[in-house]
Amino acid sequence: MDKKIEFYESWCKGCGICAAFCPKGAITMDKMAGKPVFDEEKCIACGLCELRCPDYAVIIKKKDKE
Amino acid sequence: MEKNVVHKYLRKNKKFPHIWCPGCGHGVIMSSMLRAIDKQGLDRDDVAVVSGIGCSSRTPTYVDFNTIHTTHGRALAFATGLKLAKPDMTVIVVMGDGDAVGIGGNHFIHAARRNMDLKVIVYNNNIYGMTGGQASPTTPSGKKATTARYGNIERSFDICELAKATGAVYVARSTSYHVQALEKYIHRSLSKKGFTVVEAMTHCPTTYGRLNKIKEPVAGMIYQKDHFIMKAAWDKLPEEKREGKFPMGEFVDIEKTDFVSKYLRLIEANKE
Ligand SMILES: Cc1ncc(C[n+]2csc(CCOP(=O)(O)OP(=O)(O)O)c2C)c(N)n1
Ligand code: SF4
Ligand code: SF4
Ligand code: SF4
């Protein structure tokens, strides 16, 4: 599926909610940086991380195939 | 171009990230509210967001509608005045549990009794978050607060039952984990005329969480996932299995003439 994960690092507080509840395990928390790392391959663009991020730091854009 | 629906309604001149602690559920409730408003197709000039004082009550400072950030416990009184002056405006009232049913408890029951057309969203974190963790009227029995070090010996209020008993036309409960249901219930409440209450359970890692051994934001959401049960399943649960669990879903959805409609009719009928 064609999608784009936009991550606004300066808004992210590193709470880990996006990673904990991603149904595909597409997000891991970088322990050093304290920020999420997204695996576009695994992501199914369900949008749950965007819905649950308390800081509006993730946006999942689905691009419809032409 | 806006990044998404939530960003579309954020005030551009405010500093982000917002003031709430890392992982605080309040941010999730706020975005659910914004999506529901967008879905309802309301013009931002026809929407007002009113709050009292508390962490939750910071909401109006961040959202680009008509907003009033009032005094602790009095949001519903200000909102009532606003609604009477601007009957066509959709007035959303955001309150913490302390704000809504502690200091503001009297306003809550009378706004419900009058069926004021106000859309209440209670951010219920079961504690006074902003002032450091005093027990609120919704702190569950046995749970800890800075004023209940050995566990709360009081019985707690069930906000949905209270709203139902005092006359609300729509009453629902969801959590910051169950975001889709939360958005759906807020959206439904916006389409109703009369006093509506959506109780949004929100996890507070810093205050309630730290005192009650759920201080990780993720743990707070797992708690919600495991302890809140949809009404249909809840109704079938035997009494002994309900211990420590809570029902969620839509509890009231009725029609009843609201105060402002009656008031406008009265004015019309008594015109010279
Ligand atoms: C008249 C008055 N009394 C007390 C306070 C102090 N005070 C500020 S916020 C608050 C409680 C906040 O708790 P809640 O409403 O549950 O919201 P939360 O911070 O948990 O979101 C209190 C007691 C105040 N500001 N005004
Ligand atoms: S949920 Fe949001 S704030 Fe929390 S770690 Fe993920 S992107 Fe950052
Ligand atoms: S959109 Fe869904 S699958 Fe993709 S990263 Fe977010 S939660 Fe995971
Ligand atoms: S004290 Fe609790 S409710 Fe207040 S911002 Fe922090 S986590 Fe949220």
Side-chain angles (χ1 to χ4, degrees), chain A residues 8 10-11 13 15-17 20-21 48 50-52 54-56 59 61, chain B residues 3-4 7 16-18 20 23-24 27-28 30-31 35 177 179 218 221:
Chain A
Y8 300 92
S10 64
W11 287 43
K13 294 181 188 148
C15 67
I17 287 172
F21 301 106
L48 282 170
E50 176 176 340
L51 294 184
R52 292 206 183 98
D55 279 281
Y56 327 127
I59 294 170
K61 291 223 163 107
Chain B
K3 294 178 190 136
N4 69 359
H7 284 254
F16 284 93
H18 52 54
W20 293 316
C24 170
V28 185
M30 184 169 110
S31 56
R35 281 191 298 272
Y177 172 78
V179 260
V218 170
M221 277 198 171

PDB file of all heavy atoms in Angstrom, chain A residues 8 10-11 13 15-17 20-21 48 50-52 54-56 59 61, chain B residues 3-4 7 16-18 20 23-24 27-28 30-31 35 177 179 218 221:
ATOM      1  N   TYR A   8       6.786  14.349  13.321  1.00  0.00           N
ATOM      2  CA  TYR A   8       7.260  15.659  13.753  1.00  0.00           C
ATOM      3  C   TYR A   8       7.996  15.521  15.071  1.00  0.00           C
ATOM      4  O   TYR A   8       7.401  15.542  16.146  1.00  0.00           O
ATOM      5  CB  TYR A   8       6.072  16.641  13.837  1.00  0.00           C
ATOM      6  CG  TYR A   8       5.409  16.774  12.500  1.00  0.00           C
ATOM      7  CD1 TYR A   8       4.335  15.963  12.140  1.00  0.00           C
ATOM      8  CD2 TYR A   8       5.929  17.640  11.544  1.00  0.00           C
ATOM      9  CE1 TYR A   8       3.778  16.029  10.868  1.00  0.00           C
ATOM     10  CE2 TYR A   8       5.383  17.716  10.268  1.00  0.00           C
ATOM     11  CZ  TYR A   8       4.319  16.911   9.945  1.00  0.00           C
ATOM     12  OH  TYR A   8       3.775  16.967   8.690  1.00  0.00           O
ATOM     13  N   SER A  10       9.980  17.271  16.887  1.00  0.00           N
ATOM     14  CA  SER A  10      10.006  18.283  17.937  1.00  0.00           C
ATOM     15  C   SER A  10       8.715  18.313  18.758  1.00  0.00           C
ATOM     16  O   SER A  10       8.665  18.861  19.844  1.00  0.00           O
ATOM     17  CB  SER A  10      10.268  19.666  17.340  1.00  0.00           C
ATOM     18  OG  SER A  10       9.200  20.024  16.502  1.00  0.00           O
ATOM     19  N   TRP A  11       7.655  17.677  18.252  1.00  0.00           N
ATOM     20  CA  TRP A  11       6.398  17.613  19.009  1.00  0.00           C
ATOM     21  C   TRP A  11       6.345  16.354  19.883  1.00  0.00           C
ATOM     22  O   TRP A  11       5.524  16.257  20.775  1.00  0.00           O
ATOM     23  CB  TRP A  11       5.190  17.614  18.058  1.00  0.00           C
ATOM     24  CG  TRP A  11       4.920  18.941  17.415  1.00  0.00           C
ATOM     25  CD1 TRP A  11       5.836  19.798  16.876  1.00  0.00           C
ATOM     26  CD2 TRP A  11       3.637  19.564  17.244  1.00  0.00           C
ATOM     27  NE1 TRP A  11       5.199  20.908  16.374  1.00  0.00           N
ATOM     28  CE2 TRP A  11       3.847  20.801  16.581  1.00  0.00           C
ATOM     29  CE3 TRP A  11       2.326  19.201  17.570  1.00  0.00           C
ATOM     30  CZ2 TRP A  11       2.799  21.663  16.249  1.00  0.00           C
ATOM     31  CZ3 TRP A  11       1.292  20.060  17.230  1.00  0.00           C
ATOM     32  CH2 TRP A  11       1.528  21.276  16.584  1.00  0.00           C
ATOM     33  N   LYS A  13       7.069  13.561  22.612  1.00  0.00           N
ATOM     34  CA  LYS A  13       7.623  13.526  23.974  1.00  0.00           C
ATOM     35  C   LYS A  13       8.123  12.132  24.349  1.00  0.00           C
ATOM     36  O   LYS A  13       8.422  11.868  25.508  1.00  0.00           O
ATOM     37  CB  LYS A  13       6.576  14.016  24.970  1.00  0.00           C
ATOM     38  CG  LYS A  13       6.219  15.513  24.798  1.00  0.00           C
ATOM     39  CD  LYS A  13       5.184  15.963  25.815  1.00  0.00           C
ATOM     40  CE  LYS A  13       4.697  17.374  25.516  1.00  0.00           C
ATOM     41  NZ  LYS A  13       3.288  17.556  25.921  1.00  0.00           N
ATOM     42  N   CYS A  15       6.651   9.132  24.597  1.00  0.00           N
ATOM     43  CA  CYS A  15       5.878   8.345  25.568  1.00  0.00           C
ATOM     44  C   CYS A  15       5.806   6.863  25.228  1.00  0.00           C
ATOM     45  O   CYS A  15       5.541   6.035  26.089  1.00  0.00           O
ATOM     46  CB  CYS A  15       4.464   8.910  25.682  1.00  0.00           C
ATOM     47  SG  CYS A  15       3.473   8.702  24.176  1.00  0.00           S
ATOM     48  N   GLY A  16       5.981   6.513  23.960  1.00  0.00           N
ATOM     49  CA  GLY A  16       5.978   5.096  23.567  1.00  0.00           C
ATOM     50  C   GLY A  16       4.613   4.510  23.252  1.00  0.00           C
ATOM     51  O   GLY A  16       4.495   3.323  22.936  1.00  0.00           O
ATOM     52  N   ILE A  17       3.561   5.317  23.327  1.00  0.00           N
ATOM     53  CA  ILE A  17       2.204   4.812  23.080  1.00  0.00           C
ATOM     54  C   ILE A  17       2.059   4.304  21.646  1.00  0.00           C
ATOM     55  O   ILE A  17       1.510   3.229  21.408  1.00  0.00           O
ATOM     56  CB  ILE A  17       1.150   5.915  23.394  1.00  0.00           C
ATOM     57  CG1 ILE A  17       1.031   6.097  24.915  1.00  0.00           C
ATOM     58  CG2 ILE A  17      -0.213   5.577  22.783  1.00  0.00           C
ATOM     59  CD1 ILE A  17       0.171   7.265  25.361  1.00  0.00           C
ATOM     60  N   ALA A  20       3.740   0.875  21.368  1.00  0.00           N
ATOM     61  CA  ALA A  20       3.129  -0.198  22.170  1.00  0.00           C
ATOM     62  C   ALA A  20       1.870  -0.761  21.518  1.00  0.00           C
ATOM     63  O   ALA A  20       1.580  -1.943  21.662  1.00  0.00           O
ATOM     64  CB  ALA A  20       2.798   0.319  23.562  1.00  0.00           C
ATOM     65  N   PHE A  21       1.106   0.083  20.822  1.00  0.00           N
ATOM     66  CA  PHE A  21      -0.180  -0.385  20.313  1.00  0.00           C
ATOM     67  C   PHE A  21      -0.254  -0.498  18.788  1.00  0.00           C
ATOM     68  O   PHE A  21      -1.331  -0.669  18.238  1.00  0.00           O
ATOM     69  CB  PHE A  21      -1.310   0.511  20.854  1.00  0.00           C
ATOM     70  CG  PHE A  21      -1.352   0.516  22.358  1.00  0.00           C
ATOM     71  CD1 PHE A  21      -0.910   1.624  23.074  1.00  0.00           C
ATOM     72  CD2 PHE A  21      -1.788  -0.594  23.065  1.00  0.00           C
ATOM     73  CE1 PHE A  21      -0.922   1.632  24.465  1.00  0.00           C
ATOM     74  CE2 PHE A  21      -1.810  -0.601  24.452  1.00  0.00           C
ATOM     75  CZ  PHE A  21      -1.377   0.517  25.162  1.00  0.00           C
ATOM     76  N   LEU A  48      -3.785   4.017  13.654  1.00  0.00           N
ATOM     77  CA  LEU A  48      -3.993   3.997  15.111  1.00  0.00           C
ATOM     78  C   LEU A  48      -2.952   4.818  15.870  1.00  0.00           C
ATOM     79  O   LEU A  48      -3.258   5.450  16.874  1.00  0.00           O
ATOM     80  CB  LEU A  48      -4.012   2.552  15.625  1.00  0.00           C
ATOM     81  CG  LEU A  48      -5.322   1.808  15.369  1.00  0.00           C
ATOM     82  CD1 LEU A  48      -5.176   0.325  15.689  1.00  0.00           C
ATOM     83  CD2 LEU A  48      -6.471   2.418  16.180  1.00  0.00           C
ATOM     84  N   GLU A  50      -1.526   7.507  14.875  1.00  0.00           N
ATOM     85  CA  GLU A  50      -1.930   8.914  14.716  1.00  0.00           C
ATOM     86  C   GLU A  50      -3.083   9.253  15.664  1.00  0.00           C
ATOM     87  O   GLU A  50      -3.085  10.301  16.309  1.00  0.00           O
ATOM     88  CB  GLU A  50      -2.339   9.164  13.254  1.00  0.00           C
ATOM     89  CG  GLU A  50      -2.856  10.564  13.001  1.00  0.00           C
ATOM     90  CD  GLU A  50      -3.159  10.825  11.523  1.00  0.00           C
ATOM     91  OE1 GLU A  50      -2.640  10.105  10.654  1.00  0.00           O
ATOM     92  OE2 GLU A  50      -3.934  11.756  11.249  1.00  0.00           O
ATOM     93  N   LEU A  51      -4.054   8.325  15.769  1.00  0.00           N
ATOM     94  CA  LEU A  51      -5.207   8.569  16.635  1.00  0.00           C
ATOM     95  C   LEU A  51      -4.812   8.629  18.107  1.00  0.00           C
ATOM     96  O   LEU A  51      -5.381   9.390  18.875  1.00  0.00           O
ATOM     97  CB  LEU A  51      -6.268   7.472  16.464  1.00  0.00           C
ATOM     98  CG  LEU A  51      -6.990   7.364  15.128  1.00  0.00           C
ATOM     99  CD1 LEU A  51      -8.075   6.284  15.199  1.00  0.00           C
ATOM    100  CD2 LEU A  51      -7.641   8.684  14.738  1.00  0.00           C
ATOM    101  N   ARG A  52      -3.836   7.802  18.520  1.00  0.00           N
ATOM    102  CA  ARG A  52      -3.510   7.715  19.944  1.00  0.00           C
ATOM    103  C   ARG A  52      -2.339   8.585  20.373  1.00  0.00           C
ATOM    104  O   ARG A  52      -2.088   8.729  21.573  1.00  0.00           O
ATOM    105  CB  ARG A  52      -3.227   6.256  20.341  1.00  0.00           C
ATOM    106  CG  ARG A  52      -4.449   5.364  20.292  1.00  0.00           C
ATOM    107  CD  ARG A  52      -4.321   4.191  21.249  1.00  0.00           C
ATOM    108  NE  ARG A  52      -5.482   3.299  21.151  1.00  0.00           N
ATOM    109  CZ  ARG A  52      -5.512   2.186  20.432  1.00  0.00           C
ATOM    110  NH1 ARG A  52      -4.454   1.810  19.748  1.00  0.00           N
ATOM    111  NH2 ARG A  52      -6.604   1.452  20.402  1.00  0.00           N
ATOM    112  N   PRO A  54      -0.647  11.384  21.906  1.00  0.00           N
ATOM    113  CA  PRO A  54      -1.163  12.503  22.702  1.00  0.00           C
ATOM    114  C   PRO A  54      -0.595  13.849  22.253  1.00  0.00           C
ATOM    115  O   PRO A  54      -1.058  14.895  22.696  1.00  0.00           O
ATOM    116  CB  PRO A  54      -0.695  12.189  24.121  1.00  0.00           C
ATOM    117  CG  PRO A  54      -0.135  10.808  24.089  1.00  0.00           C
ATOM    118  CD  PRO A  54       0.243  10.502  22.682  1.00  0.00           C
ATOM    119  N   ASP A  55       0.430  13.816  21.415  1.00  0.00           N
ATOM    120  CA  ASP A  55       1.097  15.062  21.010  1.00  0.00           C
ATOM    121  C   ASP A  55       1.006  15.365  19.522  1.00  0.00           C
ATOM    122  O   ASP A  55       1.707  16.248  19.032  1.00  0.00           O
ATOM    123  CB  ASP A  55       2.554  15.037  21.491  1.00  0.00           C
ATOM    124  CG  ASP A  55       2.621  15.430  22.952  1.00  0.00           C
ATOM    125  OD1 ASP A  55       2.551  16.632  23.228  1.00  0.00           O
ATOM    126  OD2 ASP A  55       2.662  14.539  23.825  1.00  0.00           O
ATOM    127  N   TYR A  56       0.169  14.646  18.809  1.00  0.00           N
ATOM    128  CA  TYR A  56      -0.111  14.921  17.384  1.00  0.00           C
ATOM    129  C   TYR A  56       1.179  14.962  16.551  1.00  0.00           C
ATOM    130  O   TYR A  56       1.312  15.751  15.616  1.00  0.00           O
ATOM    131  CB  TYR A  56      -0.902  16.241  17.233  1.00  0.00           C
ATOM    132  CG  TYR A  56      -1.838  16.503  18.400  1.00  0.00           C
ATOM    133  CD1 TYR A  56      -1.833  17.690  19.124  1.00  0.00           C
ATOM    134  CD2 TYR A  56      -2.713  15.485  18.809  1.00  0.00           C
ATOM    135  CE1 TYR A  56      -2.668  17.876  20.221  1.00  0.00           C
ATOM    136  CE2 TYR A  56      -3.557  15.670  19.906  1.00  0.00           C
ATOM    137  CZ  TYR A  56      -3.522  16.862  20.603  1.00  0.00           C
ATOM    138  OH  TYR A  56      -4.328  17.046  21.692  1.00  0.00           O
ATOM    139  N   ILE A  59       1.615  11.510  11.616  1.00  0.00           N
ATOM    140  CA  ILE A  59       0.524  11.598  10.648  1.00  0.00           C
ATOM    141  C   ILE A  59       0.756  10.537   9.582  1.00  0.00           C
ATOM    142  O   ILE A  59       1.846  10.426   9.023  1.00  0.00           O
ATOM    143  CB  ILE A  59       0.443  13.009  10.024  1.00  0.00           C
ATOM    144  CG1 ILE A  59       0.056  14.017  11.125  1.00  0.00           C
ATOM    145  CG2 ILE A  59      -0.580  13.045   8.877  1.00  0.00           C
ATOM    146  CD1 ILE A  59       0.166  15.452  10.725  1.00  0.00           C
ATOM    147  N   LYS A  61      -0.321   9.256   6.046  1.00  0.00           N
ATOM    148  CA  LYS A  61      -1.043   9.658   4.824  1.00  0.00           C
ATOM    149  C   LYS A  61      -1.181   8.475   3.896  1.00  0.00           C
ATOM    150  O   LYS A  61      -0.194   7.862   3.507  1.00  0.00           O
ATOM    151  CB  LYS A  61      -0.279  10.795   4.126  1.00  0.00           C
ATOM    152  CG  LYS A  61      -0.342  12.083   4.932  1.00  0.00           C
ATOM    153  CD  LYS A  61      -0.593  13.288   4.044  1.00  0.00           C
ATOM    154  CE  LYS A  61      -1.056  14.466   4.883  1.00  0.00           C
ATOM    155  NZ  LYS A  61      -0.055  15.521   5.038  1.00  0.00           N
TER     156      LYS A  61
ATOM    157  N   LYS B   3      -1.797  19.592   7.878  1.00  0.00           N
ATOM    158  CA  LYS B   3      -1.199  18.267   7.997  1.00  0.00           C
ATOM    159  C   LYS B   3      -2.269  17.189   8.179  1.00  0.00           C
ATOM    160  O   LYS B   3      -2.224  16.141   7.585  1.00  0.00           O
ATOM    161  CB  LYS B   3      -0.258  18.251   9.189  1.00  0.00           C
ATOM    162  CG  LYS B   3       0.941  19.174   8.988  1.00  0.00           C
ATOM    163  CD  LYS B   3       1.804  19.129  10.236  1.00  0.00           C
ATOM    164  CE  LYS B   3       2.875  20.183  10.233  1.00  0.00           C
ATOM    165  NZ  LYS B   3       2.971  20.834  11.556  1.00  0.00           N
ATOM    166  N   ASN B   4      -3.226  17.432   9.076  1.00  0.00           N
ATOM    167  CA  ASN B   4      -4.377  16.539   9.249  1.00  0.00           C
ATOM    168  C   ASN B   4      -5.483  17.321   9.936  1.00  0.00           C
ATOM    169  O   ASN B   4      -5.328  18.512  10.228  1.00  0.00           O
ATOM    170  CB  ASN B   4      -3.994  15.255  10.010  1.00  0.00           C
ATOM    171  CG  ASN B   4      -3.664  15.498  11.468  1.00  0.00           C
ATOM    172  OD1 ASN B   4      -3.686  16.633  11.958  1.00  0.00           O
ATOM    173  ND2 ASN B   4      -3.364  14.438  12.192  1.00  0.00           N
ATOM    174  N   HIS B   7      -4.497  19.073  13.308  1.00  0.00           N
ATOM    175  CA  HIS B   7      -3.639  20.253  13.122  1.00  0.00           C
ATOM    176  C   HIS B   7      -4.420  21.449  12.567  1.00  0.00           C
ATOM    177  O   HIS B   7      -4.096  22.591  12.858  1.00  0.00           O
ATOM    178  CB  HIS B   7      -2.452  19.910  12.223  1.00  0.00           C
ATOM    179  CG  HIS B   7      -1.401  19.118  12.938  1.00  0.00           C
ATOM    180  ND1 HIS B   7      -0.196  19.665  13.326  1.00  0.00           N
ATOM    181  CD2 HIS B   7      -1.378  17.842  13.377  1.00  0.00           C
ATOM    182  CE1 HIS B   7       0.518  18.736  13.956  1.00  0.00           C
ATOM    183  NE2 HIS B   7      -0.179  17.624  13.996  1.00  0.00           N
ATOM    184  N   PHE B  16       3.799  24.573  20.759  1.00  0.00           N
ATOM    185  CA  PHE B  16       3.670  23.111  20.837  1.00  0.00           C
ATOM    186  C   PHE B  16       5.060  22.523  20.893  1.00  0.00           C
ATOM    187  O   PHE B  16       5.979  23.112  20.340  1.00  0.00           O
ATOM    188  CB  PHE B  16       2.886  22.585  19.628  1.00  0.00           C
ATOM    189  CG  PHE B  16       1.403  22.833  19.730  1.00  0.00           C
ATOM    190  CD1 PHE B  16       0.840  23.975  19.168  1.00  0.00           C
ATOM    191  CD2 PHE B  16       0.588  21.951  20.418  1.00  0.00           C
ATOM    192  CE1 PHE B  16      -0.522  24.219  19.273  1.00  0.00           C
ATOM    193  CE2 PHE B  16      -0.787  22.185  20.528  1.00  0.00           C
ATOM    194  CZ  PHE B  16      -1.344  23.327  19.953  1.00  0.00           C
ATOM    195  N   PRO B  17       5.242  21.374  21.523  1.00  0.00           N
ATOM    196  CA  PRO B  17       4.208  20.551  22.137  1.00  0.00           C
ATOM    197  C   PRO B  17       3.508  21.254  23.304  1.00  0.00           C
ATOM    198  O   PRO B  17       4.052  22.158  23.917  1.00  0.00           O
ATOM    199  CB  PRO B  17       4.977  19.315  22.618  1.00  0.00           C
ATOM    200  CG  PRO B  17       6.394  19.732  22.732  1.00  0.00           C
ATOM    201  CD  PRO B  17       6.580  20.767  21.670  1.00  0.00           C
ATOM    202  N   HIS B  18       2.292  20.770  23.568  1.00  0.00           N
ATOM    203  CA  HIS B  18       1.483  21.376  24.620  1.00  0.00           C
ATOM    204  C   HIS B  18       2.066  21.112  26.014  1.00  0.00           C
ATOM    205  O   HIS B  18       3.048  20.388  26.173  1.00  0.00           O
ATOM    206  CB  HIS B  18       0.044  20.882  24.501  1.00  0.00           C
ATOM    207  CG  HIS B  18      -0.081  19.381  24.432  1.00  0.00           C
ATOM    208  ND1 HIS B  18       0.470  18.542  25.370  1.00  0.00           N
ATOM    209  CD2 HIS B  18      -0.662  18.563  23.513  1.00  0.00           C
ATOM    210  CE1 HIS B  18       0.199  17.292  25.066  1.00  0.00           C
ATOM    211  NE2 HIS B  18      -0.469  17.276  23.923  1.00  0.00           N
ATOM    212  N   TRP B  20       0.845  19.430  28.567  1.00  0.00           N
ATOM    213  CA  TRP B  20       0.565  18.177  29.262  1.00  0.00           C
ATOM    214  C   TRP B  20       1.801  17.277  29.325  1.00  0.00           C
ATOM    215  O   TRP B  20       2.643  17.278  28.427  1.00  0.00           O
ATOM    216  CB  TRP B  20      -0.608  17.458  28.591  1.00  0.00           C
ATOM    217  CG  TRP B  20      -1.914  18.219  28.744  1.00  0.00           C
ATOM    218  CD1 TRP B  20      -2.378  18.816  29.877  1.00  0.00           C
ATOM    219  CD2 TRP B  20      -2.900  18.473  27.735  1.00  0.00           C
ATOM    220  NE1 TRP B  20      -3.600  19.414  29.636  1.00  0.00           N
ATOM    221  CE2 TRP B  20      -3.947  19.226  28.340  1.00  0.00           C
ATOM    222  CE3 TRP B  20      -3.023  18.130  26.391  1.00  0.00           C
ATOM    223  CZ2 TRP B  20      -5.074  19.644  27.647  1.00  0.00           C
ATOM    224  CZ3 TRP B  20      -4.150  18.539  25.695  1.00  0.00           C
ATOM    225  CH2 TRP B  20      -5.166  19.287  26.325  1.00  0.00           C
ATOM    226  N   GLY B  23       2.839  11.557  27.353  1.00  0.00           N
ATOM    227  CA  GLY B  23       1.926  10.411  27.408  1.00  0.00           C
ATOM    228  C   GLY B  23       0.607  10.659  28.108  1.00  0.00           C
ATOM    229  O   GLY B  23      -0.195   9.730  28.262  1.00  0.00           O
ATOM    230  N   CYS B  24       0.329  11.876  28.531  1.00  0.00           N
ATOM    231  CA  CYS B  24      -0.937  12.179  29.225  1.00  0.00           C
ATOM    232  C   CYS B  24      -2.125  11.946  28.294  1.00  0.00           C
ATOM    233  O   CYS B  24      -2.113  12.383  27.143  1.00  0.00           O
ATOM    234  CB  CYS B  24      -0.932  13.626  29.705  1.00  0.00           C
ATOM    235  SG  CYS B  24      -2.542  14.198  30.306  1.00  0.00           S
ATOM    236  N   GLY B  27      -4.299  14.744  25.854  1.00  0.00           N
ATOM    237  CA  GLY B  27      -4.039  15.095  24.458  1.00  0.00           C
ATOM    238  C   GLY B  27      -4.857  14.242  23.504  1.00  0.00           C
ATOM    239  O   GLY B  27      -5.281  14.708  22.439  1.00  0.00           O
ATOM    240  N   VAL B  28      -5.086  12.977  23.900  1.00  0.00           N
ATOM    241  CA  VAL B  28      -5.852  12.056  23.055  1.00  0.00           C
ATOM    242  C   VAL B  28      -7.332  12.461  23.047  1.00  0.00           C
ATOM    243  O   VAL B  28      -8.006  12.395  22.014  1.00  0.00           O
ATOM    244  CB  VAL B  28      -5.684  10.598  23.555  1.00  0.00           C
ATOM    245  CG1 VAL B  28      -6.371   9.618  22.619  1.00  0.00           C
ATOM    246  CG2 VAL B  28      -4.204  10.248  23.719  1.00  0.00           C
ATOM    247  N   MET B  30      -8.451  15.485  23.486  1.00  0.00           N
ATOM    248  CA  MET B  30      -8.574  16.718  22.713  1.00  0.00           C
ATOM    249  C   MET B  30      -8.612  16.429  21.213  1.00  0.00           C
ATOM    250  O   MET B  30      -9.433  16.996  20.488  1.00  0.00           O
ATOM    251  CB  MET B  30      -7.431  17.681  23.046  1.00  0.00           C
ATOM    252  CG  MET B  30      -7.567  19.022  22.348  1.00  0.00           C
ATOM    253  SD  MET B  30      -6.421  20.248  22.978  1.00  0.00           S
ATOM    254  CE  MET B  30      -5.304  20.407  21.608  1.00  0.00           C
ATOM    255  N   SER B  31      -7.757  15.534  20.733  1.00  0.00           N
ATOM    256  CA  SER B  31      -7.767  15.262  19.290  1.00  0.00           C
ATOM    257  C   SER B  31      -9.041  14.533  18.884  1.00  0.00           C
ATOM    258  O   SER B  31      -9.574  14.753  17.794  1.00  0.00           O
ATOM    259  CB  SER B  31      -6.515  14.506  18.845  1.00  0.00           C
ATOM    260  OG  SER B  31      -6.371  13.319  19.559  1.00  0.00           O
ATOM    261  N   ARG B  35     -11.607  15.843  15.938  1.00  0.00           N
ATOM    262  CA  ARG B  35     -12.075  15.030  14.804  1.00  0.00           C
ATOM    263  C   ARG B  35     -13.602  14.971  14.772  1.00  0.00           C
ATOM    264  O   ARG B  35     -14.217  15.015  13.704  1.00  0.00           O
ATOM    265  CB  ARG B  35     -11.481  13.620  14.871  1.00  0.00           C
ATOM    266  CG  ARG B  35     -10.035  13.557  14.362  1.00  0.00           C
ATOM    267  CD  ARG B  35      -9.579  12.115  14.195  1.00  0.00           C
ATOM    268  NE  ARG B  35      -9.606  11.417  15.468  1.00  0.00           N
ATOM    269  CZ  ARG B  35      -8.592  11.407  16.326  1.00  0.00           C
ATOM    270  NH1 ARG B  35      -7.464  12.008  16.045  1.00  0.00           N
ATOM    271  NH2 ARG B  35      -8.705  10.776  17.471  1.00  0.00           N
ATOM    272  N   TYR B 177      -7.689   5.085  25.533  1.00  0.00           N
ATOM    273  CA  TYR B 177      -7.248   3.945  24.731  1.00  0.00           C
ATOM    274  C   TYR B 177      -8.252   3.685  23.599  1.00  0.00           C
ATOM    275  O   TYR B 177      -7.866   3.491  22.447  1.00  0.00           O
ATOM    276  CB  TYR B 177      -7.107   2.687  25.606  1.00  0.00           C
ATOM    277  CG  TYR B 177      -6.853   1.446  24.770  1.00  0.00           C
ATOM    278  CD1 TYR B 177      -5.587   1.186  24.253  1.00  0.00           C
ATOM    279  CD2 TYR B 177      -7.893   0.569  24.439  1.00  0.00           C
ATOM    280  CE1 TYR B 177      -5.359   0.088  23.438  1.00  0.00           C
ATOM    281  CE2 TYR B 177      -7.674  -0.530  23.638  1.00  0.00           C
ATOM    282  CZ  TYR B 177      -6.400  -0.774  23.139  1.00  0.00           C
ATOM    283  OH  TYR B 177      -6.186  -1.846  22.329  1.00  0.00           O
ATOM    284  N   VAL B 179      -9.993   5.152  21.404  1.00  0.00           N
ATOM    285  CA  VAL B 179     -10.141   6.440  20.717  1.00  0.00           C
ATOM    286  C   VAL B 179     -11.270   6.500  19.699  1.00  0.00           C
ATOM    287  O   VAL B 179     -11.916   7.533  19.563  1.00  0.00           O
ATOM    288  CB  VAL B 179      -8.870   6.856  19.921  1.00  0.00           C
ATOM    289  CG1 VAL B 179      -8.065   7.841  20.669  1.00  0.00           C
ATOM    290  CG2 VAL B 179      -8.075   5.692  19.420  1.00  0.00           C
ATOM    291  N   VAL B 218       2.027   3.906  28.752  1.00  0.00           N
ATOM    292  CA  VAL B 218       1.559   2.687  28.089  1.00  0.00           C
ATOM    293  C   VAL B 218       0.787   1.810  29.086  1.00  0.00           C
ATOM    294  O   VAL B 218      -0.271   1.257  28.771  1.00  0.00           O
ATOM    295  CB  VAL B 218       2.742   1.916  27.462  1.00  0.00           C
ATOM    296  CG1 VAL B 218       2.317   0.535  26.995  1.00  0.00           C
ATOM    297  CG2 VAL B 218       3.345   2.715  26.295  1.00  0.00           C
ATOM    298  N   MET B 221      -2.718   2.953  29.502  1.00  0.00           N
ATOM    299  CA  MET B 221      -3.617   2.559  28.415  1.00  0.00           C
ATOM    300  C   MET B 221      -3.931   1.060  28.461  1.00  0.00           C
ATOM    301  O   MET B 221      -5.045   0.648  28.142  1.00  0.00           O
ATOM    302  CB  MET B 221      -3.018   2.935  27.068  1.00  0.00           C
ATOM    303  CG  MET B 221      -3.275   4.396  26.702  1.00  0.00           C
ATOM    304  SD  MET B 221      -3.026   4.635  24.924  1.00  0.00           S
ATOM    305  CE  MET B 221      -3.650   6.296  24.709  1.00  0.00           C
TER     306      MET B 221
END
